[in-house]
Amino acid sequence: MEENENIQEENMQNETNQNVDNIQEELDNTTDRLKRLMAEFDNFKKRSAKERDLLYNSVLSDVVCKLLPVIDNLETAVNAETEDANYKQGIDLVLKQYIEVLSSFGVKQIESVGKTFDPELHEAVSMVQDDTLGEKEIKEEYRKGYMIGDKVIRHSMVIVAN
């Protein structure tokens, strides 16, 4: 009898150990699946944020490109000769306001005159010989270029020396 009880006790312990092993394996599988889901969700959030930023910058650059000719015309109006100082001052204030609005969205003008020609920032429309300037130095700017962050949305049209 005692032997039967020992065998039964051993069987119960083996069953208990097997149940514990099964539960532990199921817990490990569930933990692994949870970790994978968390990693996938984290990657999804990062990918979504990146796509959102790219879309925002794309839309912003499209809108800014449509406004640049207006700014060019305002700059031409500011540089035009006029006897009405108030009119000229008003145009200048509107131009400054446009430029401030663009800079609030991260748009900045590309520096050109006196800088070295860079084909990623500038578009050469002419070359001249000028001994007072260095090689590939920009002498004059026909049209201003603009950038959003590191992305050029319009190249500067320039005259390059030497």
Side-chain angles (χ1 to χ4, degrees), residues 7 9 44 109 130:
I7 291 175
E9 203 174 292
F44 171 76
Q109 294 179 356
D130 190 340

Side-chain angles (χ1 to χ4, degrees), residues 11-47:
N11 286 341
M12 285 178 55
Q13 191 160 4
N14 284 341
E15 276 183 36
T16 304
N17 286 343
Q18 191 174 13
N19 284 342
V20 168
D21 288 345
N22 289 343
I23 291 172
Q24 184 62 44
E25 184 179 336
E26 190 176 321
L27 179 63
D28 289 345
N29 289 339
T30 304
T31 304
D32 184 54
R33 280 194 357 238
L34 179 63
K35 286 179 182 178
R36 288 176 190 271
L37 280 172
M38 288 172 51
E40 283 180 34
F41 183 67
D42 191 45
N43 289 339
F44 171 76
K45 286 190 328 188
K46 289 176 185 175
R47 191 171 51 250

